[in-house]
Amino acid sequence: EAGVTQFPSHSVIEKGQTVTLRCDPISGHDNLYWYRRVMGKEIKFLLHFVKESKQDESGMPNNRFLAERTGGTYSTLKVQPAELEDSGVYFCASSPIGLGGQREQFFGPGTRLTVL
Amino acid sequence: AQKVTQAQTEISVVEKEDVTLDCVYETRDTTYYLFWYKQPPSGELVFLIRRNSFDEQNEISGRYSWNFQKSTSSFNFTITASQVVDSAVYFCALSEARSGGGADGLTFGKGTHLIIQP
């Protein structure tokens, strides 16, 4: 079974440009999460989808960030316009919905974003 | 608000030594979940263990063991007879239970960089 995949693995853009990150969760996983790790800081939760609906977007830093999950499958995270402080590693994770409360989340390899 | 503290930024030991990674958490919920993840040099986060707040039984998996103590809000991770392949950054994480049994985002500690020297 394929794991969580993310594209691209690396992205280098200039301040003011737009970047779109993509995440493909494990097939059948209704929960999809985005996280970010800024250099030297902890991994921070950004938002959570259940299927195509945003369950919790309390971690989104500002309105320059837009996440979508069309059809409840893959998700995109767009940053427009990018700022220097947006640099970091963006992780996507997925988990199934089921009995037993919070299930473990399976993480993708991350996208390293560098804003110059 | 929930918080996870991993006070050890970096630990370096010689191969075959035992090592314990500390994790202290804060939450106001009575139902919550604790996790450990491993991040090897390749960068991906690898799930190691999940523990819910009602299960204080310690767990052993090969050379790995976890000690969950609600009285001290700690969920420590011990590697016995460490190996070079154990070198990685280890993250402790917490999530609070959502009503209806749903899932929640994780709150991570800053991670502990474990270096196992040959």
Side-chain angles (χ1 to χ4, degrees), chain A residues 102-116:
Chain A
Q102 173 80 59
R103 298 286 303 275
E104 60 269 27
Q105 297 177 18
F106 296 90
F107 281 77
T111 293
R112 182 174 296 278
L113 174 65
T114 302
V115 183
L116 302 176

Side-chain angles (χ1 to χ4, degrees), chain B residues 59-104:
Chain B
E59 182 155 340
I60 298 175
S61 176
R63 296 183 296 106
Y64 294 173
S65 62
W66 291 269
N67 182 2
F68 176 29
Q69 293 201 344
K70 288 180 76 170
S71 60
T72 55
S73 298
S74 65
F75 187 42
N76 296 337
F77 172 31
T78 297
I79 301 175
T80 304
S82 60
Q83 300 177 0
V84 172
V85 294
D86 295 328
S87 297
V89 180
Y90 290 85
F91 292 95
C92 181
L94 164 74
S95 73
E96 294 171 341
R98 182 177 293 272
S99 60
D104 216 350

Side-chain angles (χ1 to χ4, degrees), chain A residues 23-43:
Chain A
C23 168
D24 286 80
I26 293 173
S27 178
H29 282 192
D30 289 333
N31 289 305
L32 187 150
Y33 307 82
W34 284 98
Y35 294 85
R36 176 174 75 171
R37 188 181 193 198
V38 173
M39 180 74 74
K41 301 282 183 78
E42 53 267 85
I43 301 169

